Amino acid sequence: MLEVVIGFVIALCIGLTGVGGGTLTTPLLILALGVPPEVAVGTALLFSMLAKIPAGWVYWQKQGVNWQALRLLLIGGLPAAAAGSLLLHSLKVHKEAVLVGIGLIILLVAIINLAITLKRLPPRPLAPQWIVAIAAFIGLEVGFSSAGAGALGILLLMSGTRLPPRQIVGTDLWFGLGLSAFAGGLHAALGQTDGLLLAKLACGGLLGSLLGAWLGQRVNQRPFRIGLLLWLMLIGSHLILRGIPALAR
């Protein structure tokens, strides 16, 4: 039952604030349910993919995706996501190091997302090779931690392209969906997912996503988004502090 509630809360946050997916799912699975970090990451990636499919379909139907930009993002992101997934698999016996790594990524993603929320950055178009290179960095940390495709992808498209806001959101959504599907599939092949847990999360996530999307059209999202990001910074710091003492021994 707790898994269904967690799926509902995460999907509600995604629908209401646009923040969540792997950034919120992975730490909750680790801290609230005691799921091993590598299994939490793999399960979070597949849950994030499922949560993004309905919205991704809507943006696709309404021409809200720039396919040229998406192609560049995926060229850099997909191979790097595979590398991040394999890196996590190789380090899974060093759980404390993995906890610190995931905590650092979540803390960084939350800080960047908060900066985006508080102050819009002026766009400075980047050459295609730079978009590919930065997308590779995003893919690497998504494969390792499941976090950051949304926040860092949005930052890259906002500051590195002149796409209109709707296409920024839609393109980033499909970028995150592609990374989640690819890296999540690889994690599943490596035995780093929990199918029953994923099903329970998805049961709660369906209702949460619909309710979050409905509320998102009727309330001011900004205070909720800022509050959630501050909480994510606290969670990321907690994961770091939890892992560091064991590393020091």
Side-chain angles (χ1 to χ4, degrees), residues 1 66 80 87 103-104 117 123 182:
M1 183 61 183
N66 184 290
L87 176 62
L104 283 170
T117 301
F182 184 72

Side-chain angles (χ1 to χ4, degrees), residues 38 83-95 98 144 187 190 192:
E38 70 278 4
S85 302
L86 294 172
L87 176 62
L88 178 61
H89 181 67
S90 68
L91 292 175
K92 68 179 182 180
V93 294
H94 306 289
K95 296 189 184 297
V98 171
F144 183 83
H187 277 274
L190 294 170
Q192 296 177 172

Side-chain angles (χ1 to χ4, degrees), residues 24-39:
L24 187 55
T25 308
T26 296
L28 279 179
L29 295 185
I30 294 172
L31 297 174
L33 300 179
V35 177
E38 70 278 4
V39 176

Side-chain angles (χ1 to χ4, degrees), residues 48-130:
S48 179
M49 177 197 70
L50 294 174
K52 290 176 179 177
I53 286 175
W57 175 256
V58 171
Y59 276 95
W60 186 356
Q61 291 294 97
K62 294 186 176 181
Q63 287 79 48
V65 181
N66 184 290
W67 298 107
Q68 182 178 0
L70 178 61
R71 179 176 61 85
L72 294 174
L73 293 173
L74 293 177
I75 287 172
L78 291 181
S85 302
L86 294 172
L87 176 62
L88 178 61
H89 181 67
S90 68
L91 292 175
K92 68 179 182 180
V93 294
H94 306 289
K95 296 189 184 297
E96 294 80 11
V98 171
L99 279 179
V100 173
I102 292 174
L104 283 170
I105 290 171
I106 290 171
L107 180 61
L108 174 64
V109 167
I111 291 172
I112 291 173
N113 213 325
L114 185 63
I116 295 171
T117 301
L118 295 176
K119 183 178 180 181
R120 183 182 176 88
L121 299 175
R124 295 180 181 177
L126 296 173
Q129 59 267 31
W130 279 107

